[in-house]
Amino acid sequence: MPTITATTADLHPRAELFAIATYARARALAPDTPDADRPALLELDDEAHFTGQHCYPGGPWDRSNFKVAMILEDFRRDAARAGLAPLDTTDVPALLLDAATTALRNCYRNRPHVVTEVQIGAGPFGGRVEWCAITRTVTRYADGTERTDISYPALPLHYFLTGLAALRPPTLGDTLTLPVALPAT
């Protein structure tokens, strides 16, 4: 039976699947990843993403659901076999922030215009304030230009930002800046 810790409970099960997929894709796209390792990482990305997006295991996406717990345990095992480190859930907001940044880096990895950062604003959604990656974004490029007409409706990003807002609620007008350009080494 999978072990569920209190800190892991703060991470939505679908967000965990999307994080595994996001990190698997990032590792597969990394230039230092051996070619022989890429297929397993890309398959893990595809399967974890598909499961997070489409599979409904006969009940709520809740850690108390045994099917959900087993699905997560299977993907954790697959991630370890593919060489990914376990997700560090000691600071779930930091994990969600890093996963959101990594998802955007995956998105822009092969783009001709280098995106340096994406700023996401907080806005009203029903009776609460959430990060609005669809309507309140500023995309900044290395040449100094900015675009405000790009939306980021990807489901993984949504789960990362929704989880972050639940754990660290923003107020109307707050901004979250995600550095997309990789740090210089």
Side-chain angles (χ1 to χ4, degrees), residues 12 14 17 50-62 65 67-68 71 159:
H12 190 280
R14 288 176 89 174
L17 286 174
F50 180 87
T51 301
Q53 186 169 1
H54 297 291
C55 293
Y56 186 74
W61 272 95
D62 185 295
N65 180 323
K67 288 182 183 179
V68 170
I71 287 170
Y159 271 90

Side-chain angles (χ1 to χ4, degrees), residues 21-46:
T22 297
Y23 290 122
R25 181 163 196 76
R27 187 71 194 129
L29 297 175
D32 62 337
T33 299
D35 288 341
D37 294 348
R38 293 180 201 279
L41 290 163
L42 290 172
E43 183 177 341
L44 178 61
D45 165 37
D46 186 51

Side-chain angles (χ1 to χ4, degrees), residues 8-22 48-57 59-63 68 71-72 75-76 87 96 99 155-160:
T8 303
D10 291 335
L11 181 62
H12 190 280
R14 288 176 89 174
E16 183 174 349
L17 286 174
F18 289 135
I20 290 169
T22 297
H49 186 92
F50 180 87
T51 301
Q53 186 169 1
H54 297 291
C55 293
Y56 186 74
W61 272 95
D62 185 295
R63 290 192 181 275
V68 170
I71 287 170
L72 290 172
F75 277 103
R76 288 180 194 132
L87 296 178
L96 292 169
L155 198 54
L157 188 60
H158 166 76
Y159 271 90
F160 301 150

Side-chain angles (χ1 to χ4, degrees), residues 130-184:
E130 288 190 3
W131 297 112
C132 301
I134 295 177
T135 59
R136 296 177 184 262
T137 64
V138 177
T139 304
R140 294 190 176 94
Y141 294 86
D143 66 3
T145 59
E146 293 183 352
R147 289 186 59 187
T148 58
D149 60 345
I150 298 175
S151 64
Y152 299 93
L155 198 54
L157 188 60
H158 166 76
Y159 271 90
F160 301 150
L161 295 176
T162 301
L164 185 60
L167 296 171
R168 290 190 184 156
T171 58
L172 196 57
D174 284 353
T175 58
L176 177 66
T177 302
L178 303 175
V180 177
L182 293 172

Side-chain angles (χ1 to χ4, degrees), residues 66-81:
F66 184 72
K67 288 182 183 179
V68 170
M70 295 309 295
I71 287 170
L72 290 172
E73 192 61 31
D74 287 345
F75 277 103
R76 288 180 194 132
R77 217 177 2 260
D78 291 346
R81 271 194 295 265

